Amino acid sequence: MNKMWGFIFLYILGLNISQATGEDPSTQMHYVKLRIDKNNIGRLNSWLPSNLSNSTWKVDEFQPTTTCKDMAGKRECHCEVDHRWTDKVRQSNSKGCAGNTCTFPEKSHTCVSNSTVTLRGSIRIQGSGFHDCLRDENSQEYQSCNTKLLNKMKEVYSTLKGFDFLNITKYSFGSIVADFGITISKSMSPDDLIQKSENLITALNATLNLETKGVVSLTMPDNPVKYNSQQQLLCTSKEDLGTTAVWRQKKDDEKEYPITNGTEADITFSTRLSTLTLKKISASWEGEYICVFRQKNTSLDITHSARAVMDVALLPNIFITAVPEFPNCLKIGDVLRVRSKCLIREDNENYTVTWTGPTMEGKINPLKADYSSEEVVHQAEAAVTCNPSVPNLKPEITCTFENRLKQSRNASFVFNIIYAGDGFCAADGDWGETKANFTSVLQCKNADGLRQRKCSIECTWEPEEDNCVNNDVSSLLHSAHDVDIGLGSLNKNVADVFDLLSNVTNNTMAINTVSNVKATVEVLHVLSDKQGLRLNGSGVYTSTDNLLSFQGFLETSSNLMEKSLENTWIEKKDDANLSIAETYIHSVEKLMKVSNITANNIQKNIELATCDKKQGSGCTNTAFGVTVDFDSSDNDSVATAGFKELQNYLPQSDEEYEVNSIVVMTTTQKNHSGSVVVKMNFPLIRPRPRNVKIKCVSWDYEKHQWSSRGCEWMGPDDDGHCVCSHLSSFAILMARYPIVLPGMSELTIFGLSISVISLVVTLVIEVIVWRAVVKTSTRYLRHVAQVNISLCLLVADCCFLASFKPENISEIWCKALVMLKHFCYLSMFFWMFCLSSTLLHQAVFLFHKMSKKVYLRFYIILGYACPLLIVLITFIASSGGAEGVYFTKESCWLVYSGFFSGSIHTFIIPVGTIVLINVISMGVVIMKLLDHPTNAGNPDDRSATKSVMRTVILLTPIFGVTWIFGFGVTILDLSSGIAAPVVNYVFILLNSFQGLFILLTTYLGDNLSRQALLNHLRKRASVSDSSTTLDSKLSK
């Protein structure tokens, strides 16, 4: 007899069981195990229903589920049509199941219907009616409470057609929370489930969460799927659920990720169908897929889900190398053994690895692979021949990795052989022998990337190029590229990347290389280019507003500006690529633009301030001391960020200027249609020296440099004040050197040289005419003053010429010359004061006799003692004549630090006072001479009076009146406009030639001096026509 085991479920309809609804009968599934002859199975259809029914219940239908047969101690079972093995059975007996057939060693299992629906739920019951269910499970109270609740639930759910099983799995606190499971062995109406569940909620005063499996089906591509292929997943509901599907993916780490529309995923919806199209299958898309339709109201939440697994046939990224990289042939004809290595990251794919090398010598011998937790190394041995006769035929070896679906990827390595006579670099540490003009490549240890080192054509090692990137940074860079593929929310993915990146960059020692900083900045760059990204300036991520954490972004940006990383921002810049700093500022500005910044935020190296621009008013932000006033015709939110250290990293192509402020970035949420005005006040890093020009600049992303277009400096009265008409990143550039007026140096040297010669001539003339012109006390004192003025000016001008190029003299000589100039120029002005006093006395007291001894003693004290005292006090008070306090090495002159600040004022104040007195004195003299045109008295005195009048009119230089323009030079900065250069030129013209003017006006222009000189020349000159002609011209 051919006997088999049959597992048959009976669909029993209860007629007299109490119902929750009072209308629908309860149902119960029963499974019967029969051992019958295979030929008699067909008779069960007529016999079972009539023989098993009675007055209380009846068999509505029965259906065979599983058929088994005994086979040598094992039992082979297969599922009948429209039935399947449960996932639990397949997982527990994975090796014994193939398709619908499973082989079991002992106890067999039952197949379930393809239309079986399972439910998992959690019901929260209000009130105290079921509190005993929280007692000990062995207590009578628990047993009674559990039975009561179970019966209540069965009364409702047993009326679902195909009801099979219901059990309560756990109780927990929170009012009373009961977790339960239900099995429905037939197709179930979702609307019917909602109705029954609402009945239960009403009866128990509860809220209910349910998850179903079987209402929704998920159609998947056959596993495994091809790498880089396009696949479609279909999620179908048997009925219209009045909602759309939500897709999720579950990874091995048990974390679920929502699937959204992205660069690699596209989701479409219809009434009962949702289609997920994956455009480019990779390892990212491997895992379990979950499709969910959700129906929800106030007290009931039902999710209908389906799950399936996608297995991807992967392909690896391959790094190939060889040992040695450059085989060294000692002689022609040698055969060298080499070993090639192909390295891949460890994954779950079982690759078939093959080695080929048509140009290699002999057979390639694969070696055993070396497995580690992170990578797999496949190796092979081969041989190369030292035969330089065929230079273009280089030995090449290729490793090919083939996955389960016969897809393949390969990598090749070409051996550049060092033949006899070829130049090469000797092995050095990690670097093996390398052929001249070739580059050796090594894989980074415990990091991602490659190390490279070139052997120059001169057979010397060049510096190593380290492109190793911290594994965490490298992983985050890959994650940054994938944030928008559709696996997870874009904003949440970016938030996760920034959160991890801020933790990595907090340890600056871990990223303290050019490659690491470059890779970290690249993360910012990649994220800034993502479409649809929004940052939340409050620093909080919420699923409701779909905004991303801003704090991680700001912390990362600040960490990159750490002082300890300053050397990592210096790189060899390729003209085709942006510098690290420019990539950084561009990325940060774009991320700031998409940020919803609502509060100020201060980091160690970045300060962020925000304000709201209202109609008719501006708004002001302050970041690291930089004040930014923004104004426009539109309402908007304005954010300003200040960056420490960034000014040192951005490329500066203008060698005449250097950055002298921090970089400040100002952005708005909107693109303004009208004009904007951005007023900024920068604290300067280094004080602006006098006559040094400043430029207000913004970063030009097209020209990749600082640009002054659209920005204006407000002048030297407010060094750090800038006004710009656009939004960008701003800074201040300061000239490296003061403004040099064209021809100024040449004019100064020429004028001083003429003055020195003129003053020497003046003193010689004074010696010649002395006896003839000092016949009165007034003339005596006047000529004494003129001689001292000329002498002091001569020494001062010579010192000026000696220190004209300060860079060519030592600091001690510079200090000595400054003191000498300081003293001589002051002494000159004090003697000018003596001269003006003499003239003033002569004009006011016309016939008063002046005592030569008394006045001479007074003049000497005033002319030399006072200046010497001023110089000594200034020297001592200026830290003993310290450089930068008393004098500057750059100009070999006194220090000017601003209005009434600096040692220069010990010169300006006395000189200004004396020039003012001299001008007043000259005015008084002129007025007196005009009031008394004629006077009686000594003829010589009357002649002296006329000479004084002529001197006052003609000898303005001897009073120092021309130095009035020096105050203009001091007050007016050369960067302030056209007036300053004009005043400077006038000052140089008048005062560099001052010695010449003294000669012309004081001596040659004075009748008595001129006549005395001519008389002297006549006595000594020979009588000739030429000398007579000269005397005649000079007498005119």
Side-chain angles (χ1 to χ4, degrees):
M1 179 180 289
N2 186 9
K3 295 183 178 179
M4 299 188 67
W5 291 97
F7 292 87
I8 302 172
F9 74 75
L10 305 177
Y11 176 25
I12 299 176
L13 178 64
L15 301 177
N16 299 320
I17 300 175
S18 61
Q19 316 296 315
T21 61
E23 297 176 0
D24 297 331
S26 296
T27 63
Q28 179 65 56
M29 304 303 300
H30 288 277
Y31 291 84
V32 179
K33 180 178 178 182
L34 298 177
R35 187 180 181 88
I36 64 172
D37 188 280
K38 183 178 181 179
N39 297 326
N40 293 325
I41 291 178
R43 299 179 182 178
L44 293 174
N45 292 328
S46 59
W47 180 78
L48 281 176
S50 59
N51 285 279
L52 294 178
S53 301
N54 59 31
S55 59
T56 304
W57 49 267
K58 71 174 183 176
V59 177
D60 189 64
E61 63 176 281
F62 77 96
Q63 181 69 43
T65 65
T66 314
T67 304
C68 302
K69 62 180 179 180
D70 294 331
M71 298 177 58
K74 295 182 180 181
R75 185 168 295 161
E76 182 182 271
C77 302
H78 73 271
C79 296
E80 294 294 330
V81 178
D82 293 330
H83 290 76
R84 59 180 172 80
W85 297 109
T86 63
D87 293 339
K88 183 178 180 181
V89 171
R90 287 186 176 278
Q91 292 170 3
S92 63
N93 193 40
S94 57
K95 295 183 179 179
C97 291
N100 274 346
T101 301
C102 288
T103 301
F104 303 99
E106 297 177 357
K107 183 180 177 181
S108 56
H109 297 271
T110 306
C111 298
V112 296
S113 171
N114 285 339
S115 59
T116 296
V117 178
T118 60
L119 295 89
R120 289 184 304 171
S122 175
I123 187 168
R124 182 185 298 271
I125 305 171
Q126 305 296 327
S128 58
F130 293 92
H131 274 190
D132 288 341
C133 292
L134 298 174
R135 295 179 180 271
D136 184 83
E137 293 182 2
N138 297 320
S139 66
Q140 182 64 34
E141 292 86 349
Y142 171 84
Q143 298 293 335
S144 175
C145 179
N146 182 60
T147 302
K148 177 183 176 183
L149 180 58
L150 193 61
N151 288 337
K152 283 283 187 182
M153 296 178 69
K154 282 185 176 181
E155 285 177 3
V156 174
Y157 288 120
S158 65
T159 60
L160 291 170
K161 293 181 179 180
F163 174 79
D164 183 4
F165 178 78
L166 187 154
N167 73 320
I168 297 174
T169 57
K170 186 179 72 171
Y171 290 100
S172 57
F173 289 96
S175 297
I176 303 297
V177 179
D179 297 339
F180 61 92
I182 304 175
T183 302
I184 310 295
S185 294
K186 293 176 65 67
S187 180
M188 178 197 69
S189 167
D191 289 340
D192 196 15
L193 175 63
I194 292 175
Q195 181 185 351
K196 307 300 183 186
S197 298
E198 287 179 343
N199 290 340
L200 180 64
I201 289 170
T202 302
L204 297 179
N205 186 25
T207 58
L208 181 60
N209 294 323
L210 284 174
E211 180 183 357
T212 73
K213 292 183 180 179
V215 175
V216 174
S217 62
L218 184 56
T219 305
M220 301 284 292
D222 294 334
N223 284 324
V225 298
K226 285 188 174 183
Y227 191 81
N228 279 344
S229 64
Q230 179 171 304
Q231 302 292 340
Q232 275 194 342
L233 287 68
L234 303 178
C235 182
T236 308
S237 170
K238 296 177 181 179
E239 298 182 16
D240 184 0
L241 300 176
T243 184
T244 55
V246 174
W247 291 85
R248 294 198 297 270
Q249 187 203 54
K250 188 176 182 182
K251 295 288 189 181
D252 293 337
D253 58 5
E254 298 297 316
K255 186 176 180 180
E256 290 188 1
Y257 300 88
I259 300 175
T260 60
N261 286 317
T263 58
E264 295 184 10
D266 184 55
I267 302 175
T268 59
F269 302 97
S270 62
T271 305
R272 295 168 48 196
L273 175 67
S274 178
T275 303
L276 169 60
T277 302
L278 301 178
K279 303 172 185 177
K280 190 177 182 181
I281 295 295
S282 64
S284 299
W285 297 108
E286 192 172 44
E288 182 182 21
Y289 285 79
I290 308 165
C291 174
V292 176
F293 286 84
R294 188 176 185 184
Q295 296 176 302
K296 183 179 181 180
N297 59 32
T298 305
S299 55
L300 178 61
D301 188 352
I302 303 177
T303 57
H304 305 284
S305 65
R307 297 169 179 259
V309 174
M310 178 182 288
D311 182 18
V312 179
L314 302 174
L315 285 176
N317 292 319
I318 309 168
F319 171 71
I320 186 170
T321 186
V323 180
E325 282 188 275
F326 301 90
N328 194 345
C329 292
L330 298 179
K331 60 182 180 179
I332 298 174
D334 282 354
V335 177
L336 302 180
R337 302 297 298 178
V338 293
R339 177 175 293 187
S340 182
K341 297 181 179 182
C342 284
L343 293 81
I344 65 170
R345 290 193 179 275
E346 171 65 23
D347 56 39
N348 296 324
E349 188 68 27
N350 186 19
Y351 297 104
T352 301
V353 183
T354 57
W355 294 86
T356 56
T359 57
M360 302 296 291
E361 182 71 21
K363 182 181 178 181
I364 300 174
N365 299 315
L367 302 176
K368 184 179 179 181
D370 183 13
Y371 291 87
S372 68
S373 60
E374 294 184 355
E375 67 178 17
V376 181
V377 181
H378 293 268
Q379 305 180 71
E381 283 189 343
V384 295
T385 304
C386 298
N387 183 12
S389 59
V390 191
N392 294 329
L393 189 61
K394 295 181 179 179
E396 181 177 359
I397 191 169
T398 301
C399 62
T400 303
F401 288 75
E402 188 178 87
N403 65 18
R404 290 167 287 171
L405 297 179
K406 307 302 180 183
Q407 292 177 290
S408 64
R409 181 174 286 176
N410 60 57
S412 299
F413 185 88
V414 177
F415 291 92
N416 292 286
I417 299 174
I418 304 173
Y419 295 106
D422 287 346
F424 66 93
C425 293
D428 181 20
D430 294 339
W431 305 97
E433 293 177 337
T434 301
K435 192 172 183 178
N437 208 30
F438 282 84
T439 300
S440 180
V441 180
L442 296 177
Q443 190 178 35
C444 298
K445 297 178 181 178
N446 302 319
D448 194 16
L450 301 174
R451 299 162 59 201
Q452 297 181 341
R453 195 177 185 189
K454 185 176 181 180
C455 175
S456 71
I457 198 168
E458 294 85 11
C459 299
T460 58
W461 284 109
E462 294 183 0
E464 176 183 340
E465 184 179 338
D466 186 342
N467 295 313
C468 300
V469 178
N470 180 294
N471 285 323
D472 293 332
V473 176
S474 178
S475 175
L476 288 170
L477 181 56
H478 286 98
S479 298
H481 283 286
D482 291 344
V483 293
D484 61 343
I485 63 173
L487 190 58
S489 161
L490 168 63
N491 292 306
K492 183 61 169 64
N493 288 345
V494 176
D496 292 340
V497 170
F498 273 134
D499 184 45
L500 294 173
L501 190 61
S502 63
N503 292 331
V504 172
T505 55
N506 274 331
N507 180 13
T508 55
M509 293 303 297
I511 60 167
N512 195 15
T513 65
V514 173
S515 300
N516 278 313
V517 169
K518 189 173 184 178
T520 306
V521 171
E522 183 64 19
V523 174
L524 298 180
H525 174 64
V526 170
L527 296 179
S528 70
D529 283 340
K530 298 303 180 182
Q531 298 295 321
L533 181 63
R534 290 293 294 169
L535 296 173
N536 182 9
S538 63
V540 179
Y541 171 79
T542 62
S543 57
T544 55
D545 59 14
N546 199 31
L547 295 178
L548 145 86
S549 170
F550 185 72
Q551 193 68 16
F553 154 63
L554 211 58
E555 287 179 2
T556 299
S557 303
S558 176
N559 293 338
L560 286 171
M561 292 291 103
E562 280 292 328
K563 185 73 173 176
S564 59
L565 297 177
E566 61 181 342
N567 292 329
T568 64
W569 289 84
I570 303 171
E571 61 166 346
K572 294 180 180 178
K573 181 178 179 295
D574 184 351
D575 290 339
N577 298 319
L578 300 180
S579 68
I580 299 177
E582 186 173 5
T583 303
Y584 171 88
I585 192 173
H586 195 195
S587 303
V588 171
E589 184 167 336
K590 290 170 70 175
L591 289 168
M592 289 270 291
K593 186 71 176 176
V594 298
S595 299
N596 179 28
I597 305 170
T598 58
N600 295 349
N601 196 315
I602 301 177
Q603 301 293 319
K604 183 178 180 181
N605 299 299
I606 295 179
E607 181 173 350
L608 178 67
T610 182
C611 62
D612 291 326
K613 163 67 177 66
K614 300 299 184 182
Q615 191 72 32
S617 65
C619 73
T620 302
N621 289 326
T622 301
F624 289 135
V626 181
T627 303
V628 179
D629 294 321
F630 177 85
D631 196 10
S632 74
S633 57
D634 300 329
N635 293 338
D636 204 349
S637 177
V638 182
T640 298
F643 300 83
K644 290 183 179 179
E645 304 299 330
L646 182 58
Q647 72 277 0
N648 299 322
Y649 309 142
L650 285 166
Q652 167 60 351
S653 57
D654 191 346
E655 296 182 356
E656 295 183 0
Y657 286 84
E658 59 184 349
V659 183
N660 194 28
S661 73
I662 67 169
V663 176
V664 168
M665 178 187 299
T666 299
T667 61
T668 58
Q669 295 292 306
K670 302 176 183 177
N671 291 323
H672 288 252
S673 56
S675 62
V676 299
V677 177
V678 184
K679 298 180 180 179
M680 293 163 287
N681 209 323
F682 289 88
L684 300 184
I685 296 175
R686 296 171 299 281
R688 184 186 72 89
R690 180 172 170 74
N691 297 329
V692 171
K693 192 174 181 180
I694 276 181
K695 288 199 298 187
C696 297
V697 293
S698 63
W699 188 257
D700 190 326
Y701 291 106
E702 294 181 357
K703 297 181 179 179
H704 313 299
Q705 63 184 11
W706 291 111
S707 170
S708 59
R709 181 171 55 87
C711 290
E712 182 181 358
W713 181 46
M714 292 293 99
D717 293 336
D718 193 355
D719 287 344
H721 192 190
C722 297
V723 176
C724 297
S725 58
H726 57 85
L727 297 172
S728 183
S729 297
F730 305 99
I732 278 184
L733 299 185
M734 186 174 73
R736 297 179 185 273
Y737 308 103
I739 297 173
V740 177
L741 295 176
M744 184 70 76
S745 298
E746 294 79 3
L747 183 61
T748 301
I749 293 175
F750 179 73
L752 289 176
S753 301
I754 297 297
S755 284
V756 168
I757 296 172
S758 300
L759 290 169
V760 171
V761 172
T762 297
L763 292 174
V764 171
I765 293 174
E766 189 66 61
V767 172
I768 293 172
V769 303
W770 180 262
R771 290 179 180 273
V773 296
V774 294
K775 294 180 179 180
T776 66
S777 298
T778 302
R779 290 177 183 173
Y780 176 82
L781 293 174
R782 173 187 156 200
H783 280 272
V784 167
Q786 289 177 178
V787 167
N788 283 279
I789 290 171
S790 299
L791 185 62
C792 291
L793 183 58
L794 175 62
V795 175
D797 286 349
C798 289
C799 292
F800 199 100
L801 288 171
S803 62
F804 193 76
K805 291 188 176 180
E807 64 274 9
N808 296 334
I809 59 176
S810 65
E811 182 176 324
I812 188 65
W813 274 107
C814 182
K815 183 188 297 186
L817 290 171
V818 170
M819 289 186 67
L820 201 53
K821 287 188 287 184
H822 191 189
F823 170 74
C824 289
Y825 279 125
L826 279 178
S827 184
M828 177 189 73
F829 277 99
F830 274 96
W831 277 106
M832 287 179 177
F833 173 65
C834 293
L835 180 60
S836 68
S837 300
T838 301
L839 295 176
L840 181 63
H841 181 276
Q842 180 66 19
V844 175
F845 307 102
L846 187 60
F847 302 107
H848 183 266
K849 298 291 184 179
M850 299 182 68
S851 174
K852 289 194 295 184
K853 291 183 179 181
V854 174
Y855 276 91
L856 183 59
R857 191 180 299 114
F858 173 73
Y859 285 173
I860 291 173
I861 295 173
L862 189 63
Y864 290 112
C866 288
L868 181 61
L869 190 62
I870 292 173
V871 171
L872 290 177
I873 292 174
T874 304
F875 184 86
I876 295 170
S878 300
S879 303
E883 198 275 331
V885 182
Y886 176 67
F887 74 103
T888 62
K889 182 67 171 62
E890 290 78 11
S891 62
C892 266
W893 185 228
L894 301 173
V895 175
Y896 177 80
S897 303
F899 190 67
F900 279 102
S901 177
S903 59
I904 189 69
H905 290 90
T906 62
F907 176 77
I908 293 175
I909 293 174
V911 169
T913 303
I914 290 172
V915 170
L916 178 62
I917 293 172
N918 288 352
V919 171
I920 295 173
S921 298
M922 188 168 59
V924 172
V925 169
I926 293 172
M927 293 299 296
K928 288 294 182 181
L929 291 174
L930 291 175
D931 289 341
H932 305 282
T934 60
N935 294 288
N938 193 304
D940 288 335
D941 289 337
R942 286 196 296 271
S943 177
T945 302
K946 293 178 182 179
S947 177
V948 168
M949 186 175 65
R950 241 185 346 265
T951 301
V952 171
I953 296 172
L954 297 176
L955 302 186
T956 299
I958 206 68
F959 290 106
V961 177
T962 56
W963 282 74
I964 290 177
F965 291 98
F967 294 99
V969 171
T970 303
I971 296 171
L972 296 177
D973 196 287
L974 288 177
S975 61
S976 60
I978 191 62
V982 171
V983 171
N984 273 262
Y985 278 116
V986 171
F987 176 76
I988 293 298
L989 282 170
L990 293 179
N991 292 286
S992 64
F993 289 94
Q994 187 174 10
L996 176 62
F997 295 149
I998 289 175
L999 173 64
L1000 294 176
T1001 60
T1002 306
Y1003 289 95
L1004 299 183
D1006 180 65
N1007 288 334
L1008 291 179
S1009 299
R1010 186 173 69 247
Q1011 192 63 44
L1013 178 61
L1014 290 175
N1015 291 337
H1016 177 77
L1017 292 175
R1018 287 192 187 100
K1019 291 178 181 179
R1020 298 185 60 87
S1022 300
V1023 178
S1024 63
D1025 294 338
S1026 58
S1027 62
T1028 302
T1029 304
L1030 176 61
D1031 290 340
S1032 176
K1033 290 182 178 180
L1034 290 174
S1035 299
K1036 294 181 180 180

